[in-house]
Structure formats: structure tokens, C-alpha cells
Amino acid sequence: MSLYSVVVPVFNSEHTLRELYQRIRAVFEDTIHEEFELILVDDSSRDQSYRIMKELRSEDPRVRIVQMAKNFGQHPALLCGFSFVRGDFVITMDDDLQHPPEEIPKLVRAIQENPEVDVIIAKYQNRHHNLIRKLGTRISVYATSKMLKKDPNLEITSFRLMRRFIVDAILGMDVHLPQIGNLLVQTSNRIINVEVRHDARKYGKSGYSYRRLAHDLFYDIISNSAFPLIVVRNIGIISFLVSVVLGLFYLIKFLCCGSPVEGWTTLVLLISGYSGLLLLSVGIVGQYLINILEEARKMPNYTIRDKDV
């Protein structure tokens, strides 16, 4: 029998926590028939979430709770929860009941039937988001697939099941403002999707505003890809080459035909030459920044999936 660690970041969820616990318990006791622990990480909620978490802890020792000192965000909360897991498998899900606990058996069945797979990520059959949110998700999926060189058909969501060694590998990474989905893709390519139901939100509204989502997408781009720097570098190289060609053209034209305006050729040569040199310099600096970015991320050179030594 395996132990499953369910990690849930909590933020202002006083209305859903008890129901979430009851449904998770019912799934593991009545359907999966496996041992579980529920790790609730309070991300500095402003309501009575932590009081309810303490009540659940007193009622069931399988519930383990952590309270963060301030609001760090969903991904740091998950990392915090990862550091306390004891299970052979780790499940992450949201606290708002949009991830139905009754869909957990699909993830468990998939990982049991596919021993060569390391991560099972839920793919929502029908997202209960508005049109703008859905469009933003599509853009994010496309951008991350290009940045991380992942299968564009692989959807990254926060409802997933991972083998324990993957979680240990993520904990070993020293990454500023980590994005768990991106770290998973960079840790293993043995990841598959399983379709699950996605329920409508029962209470309140999402803590992710459009501004927050746009900020996270921009941060994903600059932290996981050197694409902007590469664009600037290439523009610098092209501009420098164009300025050299233009400079030679106007110099030859001046020597052959003269110039109707005194000093015009010299001015064109100086502007094109210095502009091209400046952009080339920016490109060179950009290349150094790319190297610094790769070093600063401190990503592991490899991840051991299994061993017999």
C-alpha cells in the first residue's frame, strides 16, 4: 500500500476547506483504498482559514498544516508543502473545489498503469473560465511550449500527481520565484495528460487577476527563456551589418558622384556606423546576460529516476 501526500495551498478558503477535506478523505477511504496525508499550507489568509485548518488537524492526524508568515503566492506555498511530504506520490490541487477530489482516482490509475511515467497532469474537459481567461491560457501554453521546448499538446495545470523523486528534485533546485509546472517540464519528459472534470467556482472569485496572470506570463518568459535577449542581439548584429553596407554605399557614391550637401555623407557614415556599433554592443552584452541567466538559475545537470548500485 502506498502513501499519497496531497498538498493544497490555501488562501481565503474558509468556505471550502472542510468540504475539500471530507471529499478527499472519502475518495481515499472508499474508492482508492490507499493511505493519504493532507498538507494544507496557509498562504497568510485574511479570513478564518487557519482556524478551520487547526480544527481539521485536531480531528484527523492525517491533516498536517503550515502557516506562512506572509502572502508569498501559490508556487512558494507548494514548495513549502513539498518540504513536509512523506508519501510515495504527491498530488497538488487548488483549494476552491474547481479540482474535484473525485477525479483523483483517474490520476492514480494513470500512474499505476504507466510505470514509465513520472508525472500525471490533469487536462480539463471544460474549463469554467471566461473567454479572456481561456485566451490567456492558450497564449501561455504556446509561449511556454516554445520557451521550454515541450510538447505543445501537453497542458500544464495545477492539478497533478508526481512521483516522490520528482518532488525531491524540485526541492533541490535553487530558483527565484519558481513556477512548478515549468520545473516539472525541465525535470522530466515522462509527463502525460489525463482528462478530468473542471467544476465551477462555488464561492468568491479567483485570486489571479488579469494583471497578475499577465505579470506571471512575462516573468515566465524572462526567467525561463533568453528569447528577448536573443532578439536584441540579432537586431544588433543585423543593424551593424546594414550600417556597414550603407556606409560603403554612400562612401562609393560620394567618391563617384560627389554630394549635393557638404558634410552629408560624413554625417550618414557616422550615424550609421555608431548606431550599428551600439546595437552590436547591446547584442554582445545580451549574450553575456544569457550566460549569467543560465548560471544563476542553478538547474541540475541531471535527475536520477531510478538506480541499482
Side-chain angles (χ1 to χ4, degrees), residues 43 60-61 98 147 151 154 161 182 198 201 280 294-295:
D43 194 16
D60 190 340
Q98 288 194 277
M147 290 184 300
D151 182 357
L154 177 67
L161 187 155
N182 295 342
H198 188 248
R201 180 181 295 275
L280 177 62
E294 294 297 327
E295 289 292 333

Side-chain angles (χ1 to χ4, degrees), residues 51-122:
R51 178 183 63 79
I52 296 173
M53 288 166 57
K54 290 193 290 185
E55 292 175 358
L56 294 174
R57 169 65 177 171
S58 65
E59 297 168 7
D60 190 340
R62 293 174 297 185
V63 178
R64 304 167 65 199
I65 62 175
V66 182
Q67 185 179 45
M68 299 172 72
K70 71 171 188 176
N71 181 249
F72 287 95
Q74 180 187 39
H75 296 280
L78 284 172
L79 280 182
C80 176
F82 289 169
S83 64
F84 293 96
V85 300
R86 296 179 296 200
D88 308 294
F89 300 93
V90 179
I91 298 171
T92 68
M93 59 192 305
D94 292 348
D95 59 349
D96 55 11
L97 299 178
Q98 288 194 277
H99 297 162
E102 293 74 20
E103 298 293 88
I104 291 177
K106 292 183 180 179
L107 307 183
V108 173
R109 192 179 308 115
I111 202 92
Q112 291 175 345
E113 294 176 351
N114 298 276
E116 75 285 357
V117 173
D118 299 332
V119 182
I120 309 293
I121 300 181

Side-chain angles (χ1 to χ4, degrees), residues 18-278:
R18 187 165 290 279
E19 180 181 348
L20 177 67
Y21 158 73
Q22 292 171 346
R23 290 168 64 179
I24 290 175
R25 184 187 66 185
V27 164
F28 278 96
E29 291 181 349
D30 303 334
T31 305
I32 302 177
H33 304 293
E34 296 277 12
E35 296 294 330
F36 81 98
E37 62 175 1
L38 176 59
I39 301 175
L40 301 174
V41 183
D42 179 32
D43 194 16
S44 192
S45 298
R46 294 189 290 269
D47 61 4
Q48 298 300 311
S49 294
Y50 194 61
R51 178 183 63 79
I52 296 173
M53 288 166 57
K54 290 193 290 185
E55 292 175 358
L56 294 174
R57 169 65 177 171
S58 65
E59 297 168 7
D60 190 340
R62 293 174 297 185
V63 178
R64 304 167 65 199
I65 62 175
V66 182
Q67 185 179 45
M68 299 172 72
K70 71 171 188 176
N71 181 249
F72 287 95
Q74 180 187 39
H75 296 280
L78 284 172
L79 280 182
C80 176
F82 289 169
S83 64
F84 293 96
V85 300
R86 296 179 296 200
D88 308 294
F89 300 93
V90 179
I91 298 171
T92 68
M93 59 192 305
D94 292 348
D95 59 349
D96 55 11
L97 299 178
Q98 288 194 277
H99 297 162
E102 293 74 20
E103 298 293 88
I104 291 177
K106 292 183 180 179
L107 307 183
V108 173
R109 192 179 308 115
I111 202 92
Q112 291 175 345
E113 294 176 351
N114 298 276
E116 75 285 357
V117 173
D118 299 332
V119 182
I120 309 293
I121 300 181
K123 179 179 181 180
Y124 307 135
Q125 294 171 343
N126 183 28
R127 288 179 179 268
H128 284 272
H129 294 149
N130 58 42
L131 181 61
I132 297 178
R133 182 76 178 271
K134 290 180 179 178
L135 178 61
T137 299
R138 288 185 177 275
I139 295 174
S140 178
V141 168
Y142 175 79
T144 53
S145 66
K146 291 296 183 182
M147 290 184 300
L148 303 176
K149 297 180 177 60
K150 75 173 184 66
D151 182 357
N153 295 318
L154 177 67
E155 289 194 15
I156 304 297
T157 70
S158 55
F159 192 12
R160 55 210 160 205
L161 187 155
M162 302 163 283
R163 297 188 186 274
R164 174 64 181 272
F165 81 92
I166 291 290
V167 173
D168 292 339
I170 290 176
L171 286 174
M173 299 177 186
D174 186 8
V175 181
H176 178 62
L177 297 179
Q179 300 287 320
I180 303 301
N182 295 342
L183 295 181
L184 287 176
V185 173
Q186 294 170 331
T187 303
S188 174
N189 62 358
R190 299 169 180 265
I191 304 174
I192 63 172
N193 282 135
V194 170
E195 286 196 350
V196 303
R197 189 176 82 248
H198 188 248
D199 288 347
R201 180 181 295 275
K202 284 189 175 182
Y203 306 97
K205 61 180 182 179
S206 173
Y208 279 85
S209 63
Y210 296 130
R211 180 179 179 182
R212 173 70 180 275
L213 292 171
H215 174 271
D216 287 352
L217 176 59
F218 177 74
Y219 180 80
D220 279 351
I221 293 174
I222 64 174
S223 63
N224 294 292
S225 170
F227 178 73
L229 289 174
I230 293 172
V231 170
V232 172
R233 180 197 65 188
N234 292 341
I235 290 175
I237 294 172
I238 293 171
S239 298
F240 177 73
L241 295 176
V242 170
S243 69
V244 171
V245 172
L246 285 175
L248 291 174
F249 170 76
Y250 284 114
L251 179 60
I252 293 172
K253 183 179 179 181
F254 172 75
L255 294 175
C256 296
C257 308
S259 175
V261 180
E262 187 175 351
W264 185 84
T265 303
T266 302
L267 186 61
V268 168
L269 291 175
L270 289 175
I271 292 176
S272 62
Y274 278 114
S275 298
L277 185 61
L278 179 62

